[in-house]
Amino acid sequence: HRAYPGIPEDCWKVQTDELRTWLSSANYDVPEVTEHVLLEQEKGVMRVLQWRITEPCAQQWSLAFFTRFVLLAGPAFQRSLQQVEMKLLALAKAVIMCREASSSLTHSTLTLGLLCLCIVEAGLAPLADLQPENLSAQEWLNLYLQSQPNRLHPTCHLTAPQIAQILQILTMSTGTSLVELSASAQRVAVALGAALRGIRQVQQQIQARTHEPI
């Protein structure tokens, strides 16, 4: 068990509760997660890795992006950004668990794409403003909805100046252009949609085995 400066001791519980709530909202049967269960799972992973690990890259990228974003945005959007960060980390874990690491979707691209999708889901930016150049508006909407467990249409209630401010801060805090961010969002939406389908498939297999006669 390790303590990190500035990170609450029960951070594991906050993040697992967030992921559990998100999956439960999509009608997944999610068992209760305790610290003991997590520690046992971590030990198994550590043994496979022969106890040679580094900090999660997606988490490092997230920390860098959100530190800059919060500093630039100020207190006005702080609460919303905290929720976005927690959602991003939960989704990053879901994608990483369901997908092998590859050069086509690096952890930096994963974090950038999830940041865009989560900002849209939080109502901080319109989906249309992050539309990839190679997709129509309908194609982009369909792809976005496939990456969401509840398939809810995104709604942004911010004013035009506020949206412009958020998008400017988004590019400044990540050091990328809106075109690059949109491309990352597209790649991640595809990966996240595949992860959701994979989770559903595993869930169905578990349910099928549960109802098999003994």
Side-chain angles (χ1 to χ4, degrees):
H1 183 68
R2 298 173 60 187
Y4 294 85
I7 299 180
E9 286 290 326
D10 63 347
C11 181
W12 66 270
K13 187 176 188 306
V14 173
Q15 294 192 18
T16 53
D17 285 350
E18 177 77 13
L19 179 59
R20 188 166 183 252
T21 301
W22 176 67
L23 291 173
S24 298
S25 68
N27 297 320
Y28 293 112
D29 184 16
V30 185
E32 183 180 0
V33 179
T34 65
E35 186 172 13
H36 175 73
V37 170
L38 288 177
L39 289 175
E40 289 302 312
Q41 293 292 328
E42 288 179 356
K43 287 178 183 178
V45 174
M46 293 290 289
R47 283 192 288 269
V48 171
L49 297 176
Q50 298 181 344
W51 299 87
R52 295 194 298 267
I53 64 169
T54 57
E55 297 297 326
C57 291
Q59 189 167 350
Q60 287 182 331
W61 284 109
S62 175
L63 177 62
F65 293 154
F66 277 98
T67 299
R68 300 170 192 161
F69 207 121
V70 170
L71 287 174
L72 292 169
F77 300 103
Q78 186 171 356
R79 183 177 179 83
S80 296
L81 291 174
Q82 288 175 342
Q83 295 174 345
V84 168
E85 184 177 17
M86 293 181 64
K87 181 73 173 287
L88 185 154
L89 292 173
L91 294 179
K93 291 175 184 177
V95 174
I96 291 170
M97 286 190 297
C98 298
R99 176 189 174 95
E100 295 182 357
S102 68
S103 58
S104 63
L105 186 63
T106 63
H107 279 223
S108 60
T109 300
L110 173 63
T111 310
L112 283 172
L114 286 176
L115 177 58
C116 294
L117 296 177
C118 290
I119 281 178
V120 169
E121 191 268 342
L124 295 177
L127 181 66
D129 286 357
L130 291 166
Q131 179 181 329
E133 294 180 332
N134 63 323
L135 296 181
S136 68
Q138 188 60 51
E139 288 172 334
W140 178 223
L141 175 61
N142 292 341
L143 181 58
Y144 171 83
L145 293 177
Q146 290 171 15
S147 71
Q148 301 298 305
N150 294 321
R151 292 179 174 267
L152 297 177
H153 286 241
T155 304
C156 179
H157 298 292
L158 298 184
T159 63
Q162 287 176 319
I163 293 171
Q165 179 188 8
I166 288 291
L167 294 177
Q168 182 181 25
I169 293 174
L170 180 60
T171 58
M172 292 175 64
S173 60
T174 59
T176 54
S177 66
L178 283 178
V179 172
E180 293 170 310
L181 288 167
S182 299
S184 296
Q186 179 181 359
R187 267 179 274 179
V188 171
V190 172
L192 185 54
L196 284 175
R197 290 191 294 273
I199 293 172
R200 292 192 187 101
Q201 184 177 8
V202 170
Q203 184 69 38
Q204 290 169 356
Q205 292 172 350
I206 293 174
Q207 291 176 345
R209 286 198 294 269
T210 301
H211 291 90
E212 287 179 356
I214 300 177

